[in-house]
């Protein structure tokens, strides 16, 4: 299979994914958020705020509000990403202007939760398709190079300003419900991007490491890596320590409980700690996922 033959299905898949994401975002905005004067974070939140305060067409506002960040993206990311993002934002504007979405509900709790869920689905699918429907991440990247804050802290700071303005102009209850919308959307975005097979790194320190190694490989079918370390160094016996194999492995989040149960059945005093992995490739990972 040639490179072009291989890339065409991928391009089609990305385009379909982005289109579905745009339709979900349009549904969240016109079916839930806009009719009930609710907000989200980021540039979408700024657009909704402008629409509510000045009664401008949300379809035009959301496109115009993203343009400065898309231009910034040409320099912070690359021209291809910026052009794809611009096309997505324009498509969202067209969707908002022409698609007759029904208003689903006026119940504030339902609006805040399901508006956030559908917005998160839309943004997450768009990101998986290779573009962004909100320029706030680009602004965060730009600011990151000029400050000591992390991207998450920058985005949080911008959103706090948006919700404070909303609270001042439209009332505290609306701002609080909108914060719930933003939280729901952000959690949904993480779920869509990471998927069900989100990987988790596990480190195990135990005096029964030989048995644990065998169980992980033979029963769970996991690949393992061993670090050489020393354990002990307690306050009452600081000079007493012994070598130990520190076991490192990568599993899906569905396997975490099973692994911990297995380890603690062998050594109840074993020290196990985990952390999420945003991206993993190679090794036995792909093989194991396909077998499941």
């Amino acid at each position: 299979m040639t490179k072009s033959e291989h890339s065409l299905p991928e391009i089609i898949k990305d385009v379909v994914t982005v289109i579905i994401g745009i339709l979900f975002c349009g549904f969240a905005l016109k079916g839930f958020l806009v009719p009930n004067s609710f907000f989200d974070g980021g540039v979408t939140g700024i657009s909704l705020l402008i629409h509510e305060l000045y009664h401008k067409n949300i379809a035009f506002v959301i496109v115009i509000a993203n343009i400065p960040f898309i231009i910034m993206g040409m320099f912070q990311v690359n021209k291809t990403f910026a052009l794809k993002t611009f096309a997505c934002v324009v498509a969202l504007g067209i969707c908002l202007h022409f698609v007759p979405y029904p208003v689903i509900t006026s119940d504030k709790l339902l609006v805040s939760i399901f508006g956030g869920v559908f917005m998160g689905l839309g943004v997450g699918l768009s990101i998986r398709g290779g573009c962004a429907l909100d320029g706030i991440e680009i602004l965060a990247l730009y600011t990151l190079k000029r400050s000591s804050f992390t991207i998450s802290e920058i985005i949080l700071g911008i959103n706090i300003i948006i919700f404070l303005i909303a609270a001042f102009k439209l009332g505290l209850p609306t701002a609080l419900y909108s914060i719930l919308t933003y939280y729901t959307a952000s959690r949904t975005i993480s779920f869509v991007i990471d998927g069900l097979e989100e990987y988790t790194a596990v480190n195990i320190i135990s005096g029964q490491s030989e048995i644990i190694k065998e169980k992980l490989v033979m029963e769970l079918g996991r690949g393992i890596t061993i670090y050489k370390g020393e354990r002990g160094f307690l306050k009452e016996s600081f000079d007493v320590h012994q070598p130990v194999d520190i076991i490192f492995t990568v599993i899906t989040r569905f396997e975490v409980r099973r692994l911990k149960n297995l380890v603690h059945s062998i050594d109840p005093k074993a020290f196990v700690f985990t952390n999420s992995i945003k991206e993993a490739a190679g090794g036995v990972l792909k093989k194991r996922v396909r077998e499941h």
Side-chain angles (χ1 to χ4, degrees):
M1 180 179 289
T2 65
K3 184 178 179 180
S4 60
E5 290 173 337
H6 177 74
S7 61
L8 182 59
E10 294 297 325
I11 292 172
I12 294 172
K13 179 182 176 182
D14 288 345
V15 170
V16 171
T17 301
V18 169
I19 290 173
I20 295 172
I22 289 169
L23 292 173
F24 270 126
C25 282
F27 181 57
L29 288 167
K30 292 190 72 175
F32 293 92
L33 303 184
V34 173
N36 294 282
S37 302
F38 273 41
F39 302 91
D40 190 15
V43 180
T44 303
I46 296 171
S47 303
L48 289 167
L49 191 59
I50 293 171
H51 164 75
E52 190 62 32
L53 294 177
Y54 301 104
H55 307 291
K56 303 297 183 181
N57 190 316
I58 185 63
F60 296 110
V61 172
I62 208 164
V63 174
I64 294 171
N66 273 284
I67 287 176
F69 304 103
I70 293 170
I71 294 172
M72 195 181 297
M74 294 179 66
F75 301 98
Q76 296 299 314
V77 186
N78 57 56
K79 186 180 293 185
T80 301
F81 172 80
L83 291 174
K84 288 172 67 176
T85 298
F86 179 70
C88 290
V89 171
V90 170
L92 176 60
I94 293 171
C95 178
L96 290 171
H97 190 70
F98 291 105
V99 178
Y101 289 106
V103 177
I104 303 302
T105 180
S106 59
D107 183 281
K108 292 184 181 298
L109 185 59
L110 292 178
V111 169
S112 60
I113 293 175
F114 287 97
V117 167
F118 286 113
M119 179 60 73
L121 283 172
V123 174
L125 288 171
S126 298
I127 292 173
R128 294 198 72 157
C131 67
L133 285 176
D134 195 301
I136 196 70
E137 287 81 7
I138 299 171
L139 177 61
L141 285 171
Y142 177 81
T143 311
L144 179 67
K145 297 179 180 180
R146 293 161 177 80
S147 71
S148 59
F149 297 105
T150 66
I151 289 178
S152 298
E153 289 170 341
I154 294 165
I155 293 175
L156 178 62
I158 295 169
N159 288 328
I160 286 174
I161 294 172
I162 294 170
F163 291 124
L164 284 175
I165 294 173
F168 179 74
K169 293 290 186 179
L170 301 167
L172 185 59
T174 297
L176 293 176
Y177 275 116
S178 298
I179 291 171
L180 179 57
T181 300
Y182 169 70
Y183 176 78
T184 307
S186 62
R187 297 308 302 168
T188 306
I189 291 170
S190 298
F191 180 79
V192 171
I193 293 174
D194 295 329
L196 294 175
E197 294 287 350
E198 180 182 5
Y199 291 112
T200 300
V202 183
N203 294 269
I204 305 166
I205 302 174
S206 168
Q208 304 294 324
S209 59
E210 291 301 322
I211 301 174
I212 293 173
K213 284 188 284 186
E214 181 180 355
K215 293 288 187 181
L216 289 177
V217 175
M218 303 307 295
E219 290 190 13
L220 290 187
R222 285 286 130 195
I224 60 174
T225 298
I226 305 302
Y227 299 108
K228 297 297 182 179
E230 291 188 10
R231 61 196 298 261
F233 301 101
L234 300 175
K235 184 176 181 180
E236 60 274 10
S237 55
F238 182 78
D239 294 328
V240 179
H241 51 86
Q242 57 274 347
V244 64
D245 286 344
I246 302 171
I247 305 168
F248 174 84
T249 188
V250 177
I251 59 176
T252 66
R253 58 182 173 184
F254 289 124
E255 297 173 298
V256 172
R257 177 53 54 192
R258 182 184 175 193
L259 181 144
K260 286 184 176 180
N261 289 341
L262 184 149
V263 170
H264 287 135
S265 69
I266 299 168
D267 181 7
K269 296 182 179 180
F271 179 51
V272 181
F273 63 96
T274 66
N275 57 282
S276 297
I277 297 177
K278 290 298 181 184
E279 185 174 348
V284 298
L285 291 175
K286 291 293 182 182
K287 180 180 177 182
R288 291 298 302 166
V289 170
R290 286 171 183 168
E291 286 175 358
H292 288 300

